[in-house]
Amino acid sequence: MALAAGVLLVTLVFVVVVVRRWLFVRGGGAVECGLRVIPAEGAPGPWRLGIGRYRGDVLYWHRVFGLRTRPRQVIHRRGLVVSNRREPEPGEVDGLLPDASIIEVRDGDLTVELAMSASAMTGFLAWLEAAPPGFPVDIHQSE
């Protein structure tokens, strides 16, 4: 009986995660990307896989494996500073999507690195450049 309840619980959690992901992606404007927070001092946090959703001038980032419907990170296009673009280091490759590139962005006091595919990176940079006139967006890329 306990085994059946355990299997049912695991199946239910799996279904909820799959349906949640489908709901995020179905509306369009979503991209798979890894994210890690870069603190002002100390080592960066761990990479987390997630889904970024573009909604107007905001990128909402949700963890892939989670039940929460609210985003874990909110990145505003207004005032966003892109300070670095690079390839993953050998120790980072295992925790990221295949063929990912990494871009560092600052939104006020928040500094994060986003890891995404080349096509997702192109979409992200196009989203930044499509900002309305008067939006302060600063892109300084170095490779």
Side-chain angles (χ1 to χ4, degrees):
M1 184 69 164
L3 179 63
V7 169
L8 181 62
L9 180 64
V10 168
T11 303
L12 181 62
V13 169
F14 177 76
V15 168
V16 168
V17 168
V18 168
V19 168
R20 178 181 167 270
R21 184 182 189 291
W22 177 78
L23 289 172
F24 285 149
V25 174
R26 77 178 169 109
V31 62
E32 291 183 349
C33 66
L35 180 141
R36 75 175 176 175
V37 175
I38 308 295
E41 295 181 14
W47 281 106
R48 306 214 186 273
L49 293 179
I51 299 170
R53 294 176 55 198
Y54 298 105
R55 294 287 183 248
D57 296 321
V58 179
L59 174 68
Y60 296 101
W61 185 85
H62 304 266
R63 290 179 67 172
V64 167
F65 302 108
L67 302 176
R68 207 173 144 170
T69 57
R70 293 178 50 189
R72 294 284 178 156
Q73 295 291 336
V74 178
I75 300 170
H76 301 272
R77 181 165 54 182
R78 177 182 292 272
L80 190 69
V81 176
V82 176
S83 56
N84 189 22
R85 184 174 176 182
R86 65 181 179 85
E87 296 301 314
E89 296 174 4
E92 294 176 306
V93 174
D94 293 337
L96 300 175
L97 298 166
D99 301 323
S101 292
I102 298 172
I103 192 165
E104 183 180 306
V105 298
R106 281 193 332 261
D107 176 12
D109 293 335
L110 175 67
T111 301
V112 298
E113 286 185 319
L114 299 171
M116 53 185 86
S117 68
S119 61
M121 185 73 68
T122 300
F124 178 78
L125 294 174
W127 174 72
L128 287 178
E129 292 172 359
F135 251 62
V137 175
D138 192 7
I139 300 177
H140 293 97
Q141 295 181 24
S142 61
E143 293 188 67

